[in-house]
Amino acid sequence: MFDYIIVGGGSAGGVLANRLSENVNNKVCLIEAGSADSSIFVSTPGAFGAHMYMRKFNWAFNSQPDAGTSSRGQFCPRGKGLGGSSSINAMVYTRGHSSDYDHWAALGNPGWGFKDVLPIFKKSEDNENGANEYHGEGGLLSVSSVDRNYYKLEDMFITAAQEAGVPFRNEFNDNELEGIGNYQFTIKNGQRAGVRKCFIEPALQRKNLTVITEAHASKILIKNKKAVGVQYQQQGELKEAFASQEVIVSGGTFNSPQLLMLSGIGDKDELEKFGIECVHDLKGVGKNLQEHPTVSVVCSSLKKDGFSLSPGALATRTKELIQFALGKKGPLRHSITRVGGYLKSSNDVEVPDVQVHYVPILFDDHGRNLDLFFQHGFTAELNVCRPKSIGQVTLRNANPASDPLIQLNLLDDPYDIDVLVKAVRKVREIFNMPAYSQHKGEELFPGKDCQTNEEIAQAIRDKASHVYHPVGTCKMGNDDMAVVDASLKVYGIESLRVVDASIMPSLISANTNAPTIMIGEKAAEMILADSNNI
């Protein structure tokens, strides 16, 4: 018996485990499907791409085919293990624009406007540049700046953007997004500073925190419409844990709605298809799935000063490995996504509507097109900040071990295609600036033959992907499709909350890890306040 059970040790669940167990009177249990292990691929910032090929720390889901993307399914990596996706992501620390959060509040979620959540962001943060109006110091989450760019192609993109009229910017969390420069990262001293490192590990020695790993939650135990515990599978054995205060679901945008539905919370008609007794008919569970649709402009380089695994570059790569092994020096101490920023797709746009992640490599198919790594080039990955296409997560069957059925519906809405077409044209303009005159070779994608809007749009449909920011499937609100209220309590079930990115009613214009950590922090404050146990 515990006071609180948290299902999922990811970016929100790990924060909750730390904050709820800070009070020695709270008996807290964290249940995680993944392992307690870590690895050099987790801790080394420059090695995060290896998780695209490895299953140990990655659920490696695949979505159903989408009509908007030429009937293709999508690879959907999600973190598995302590730290969740904060253990396999690119570590970019961004929050989005104030209007993103003010929109949440306007949808009927008091306490979630930007003025409300900014202090929560600052509470978490230990920014190496110190505290100011937008940043915190002394928090648990380490945030650092890039000390330098390591490849000429990185500085080249920043220079070319300025030549094209895009301002230089090295701060993307002060509510002025437009510009190209270096992001900040959840990295400290050349090591990943994810939720595992910053929140979970410091709490592991607490006697009032129990962490159960390799335990796949199969059902929330509900009695008289009150959550009383969790059933889970561990090493082939079915086990149960009970909570006297609350059960908190933090499985993420794909797993949280799946667990609710397996527990009989969801659309009654859908549950009955799989023989699941409906405990509470909640139509919105699994609906409202949103993701940043992404397309890349990919160009070969006439020079050899980016990242490549070509035979001629192996000596340089070996030197970089030695630099990191001996003193955490060199490019491996950083994410390769150092450069990026925000663009306006047209002059009519007030707040930037395109985010850019630029890399000094040829990048395709989530980095799984290995042939490109043996060539030289550069890639600008472009995503729609506030997409309008909506998908859903449903059950594949009643087996908890089965992957959920994911329908992203990428590019369903014409708005998303329109923004990406304009974004491609904007980046082409940057790539044609004088800074690239000695480097730019052939445009590999969309390709020189794609010139009209229609041709570019079709190329986008054929190649578009996403940028690992799914949200919304247990959305917060007060309409008929809301799953949780502004306190993140599940409608119709007592003592049950959902705390993760799935509660976002709309997608923010940034990488979602920092906002998910904020959600965990804010939820912890609300839970402790409810129990008068702050």
Side-chain angles (χ1 to χ4, degrees), residues 289-341:
L289 173 61
Q290 298 168 48
E291 172 64 282
H292 285 136
T294 299
V295 72
S296 296
V297 179
V298 185
C299 291
S300 64
S301 176
L302 301 176
K303 303 286 187 178
K304 298 181 179 180
D305 45 19
F307 180 92
S308 170
L309 296 178
S310 67
L314 289 182
T316 302
R317 300 292 86 81
T318 301
K319 177 184 175 182
E320 292 169 354
L321 281 170
I322 294 171
Q323 283 180 314
F324 185 78
L326 294 181
K328 301 297 184 287
K329 305 288 186 181
L332 286 173
R333 66 181 277 107
H334 289 297
S335 169
I336 201 168
T337 58
R338 287 177 284 271
V339 174

Side-chain angles (χ1 to χ4, degrees), residues 41-52:
F41 296 107
V42 169
S43 60
T44 304
F48 76 90
H51 296 292
M52 294 302 180

Side-chain angles (χ1 to χ4, degrees), residues 236-261:
E237 185 179 349
L238 197 62
K239 301 181 180 182
E240 293 179 341
F242 294 91
S244 62
Q245 294 294 320
E246 292 192 23
V247 173
I248 304 152
V249 178
S250 298
T253 295
F254 298 144
N255 294 88
S256 284
Q258 181 190 29
L259 182 58
L260 292 182
M261 288 184 278

Side-chain angles (χ1 to χ4, degrees), residues 454-520:
E454 292 75 17
E455 290 169 341
I456 297 172
Q458 186 56 54
I460 291 171
R461 291 188 187 95
D462 292 342
K463 204 73 170 176
S465 184
H466 59 98
V467 72
Y468 325 128
H469 299 156
V471 308
T473 52
C474 298
K475 82 166 185 172
M476 171 175 60
N478 53 23
D479 61 275
D480 291 342
M481 297 303 287
V483 176
V484 300
D485 64 15
S487 297
L488 309 188
K489 295 176 181 177
V490 175
Y491 284 111
I493 303 293
E494 188 181 348
S495 301
L496 180 64
R497 298 192 208 222
V498 177
V499 180
D500 54 36
S502 72
I503 65 93
M504 295 186 191
S506 57
L507 185 52
I508 50 101
S509 54
N511 307 70
T512 49
N513 192 242
T516 302
I517 292 170
M518 178 275 292
I519 290 168

Side-chain angles (χ1 to χ4, degrees), residues 131-145:
N132 59 31
E133 181 184 357
Y134 292 97
H135 288 289
E137 186 177 25
L140 295 179
L141 183 68
S142 298
V143 177
S144 62
S145 299

Side-chain angles (χ1 to χ4, degrees), residues 151 306-311 313-314 317 360-361 372-377:
Y151 305 108
F307 180 92
S308 170
L309 296 178
S310 67
L314 289 182
R317 300 292 86 81
I361 59 175
L372 291 183
F373 285 166
F374 293 89
Q375 304 172 46
H376 296 268

Side-chain angles (χ1 to χ4, degrees), residues 167-330:
F168 170 75
R169 182 170 297 284
N170 256 6
E171 170 61 85
F172 296 101
N173 295 302
D174 64 355
N175 218 35
E176 296 292 334
L177 297 184
E178 186 181 17
I180 297 295
N182 288 111
Y183 286 119
Q184 286 195 309
F185 294 86
T186 50
I187 295 172
K188 183 176 182 178
N189 297 329
Q191 298 277 279
R192 178 188 292 272
V195 165
R196 176 194 175 107
K197 185 73 173 177
C198 295
F199 288 88
I200 298 177
E201 289 183 1
L204 289 177
Q205 78 279 5
R206 296 174 186 165
K207 294 181 179 179
N208 62 325
L209 175 63
T210 299
V211 178
I212 305 173
T213 55
E214 298 184 53
H216 194 127
S218 53
K219 189 178 186 180
I220 302 162
L221 301 173
I222 300 170
K223 184 177 182 180
N224 298 324
K225 290 213 166 185
K226 178 180 179 179
V228 297
V230 175
Q231 183 185 82
Y232 61 94
Q233 286 270 357
Q234 188 182 46
Q235 296 178 340
E237 185 179 349
L238 197 62
K239 301 181 180 182
E240 293 179 341
F242 294 91
S244 62
Q245 294 294 320
E246 292 192 23
V247 173
I248 304 152
V249 178
S250 298
T253 295
F254 298 144
N255 294 88
S256 284
Q258 181 190 29
L259 182 58
L260 292 182
M261 288 184 278
L262 289 169
S263 307
I265 304 168
D267 188 319
K268 181 178 181 181
D269 294 337
E270 291 186 14
L271 299 181
E272 288 179 345
K273 293 178 187 176
F274 303 105
I276 299 172
E277 179 186 355
C278 183
V279 175
H280 184 62
D281 190 5
L282 200 54
K283 303 293 185 186
V285 174
K287 307 301 191 291
N288 192 50
L289 173 61
Q290 298 168 48
E291 172 64 282
H292 285 136
T294 299
V295 72
S296 296
V297 179
V298 185
C299 291
S300 64
S301 176
L302 301 176
K303 303 286 187 178
K304 298 181 179 180
D305 45 19
F307 180 92
S308 170
L309 296 178
S310 67
L314 289 182
T316 302
R317 300 292 86 81
T318 301
K319 177 184 175 182
E320 292 169 354
L321 281 170
I322 294 171
Q323 283 180 314
F324 185 78
L326 294 181
K328 301 297 184 287
K329 305 288 186 181

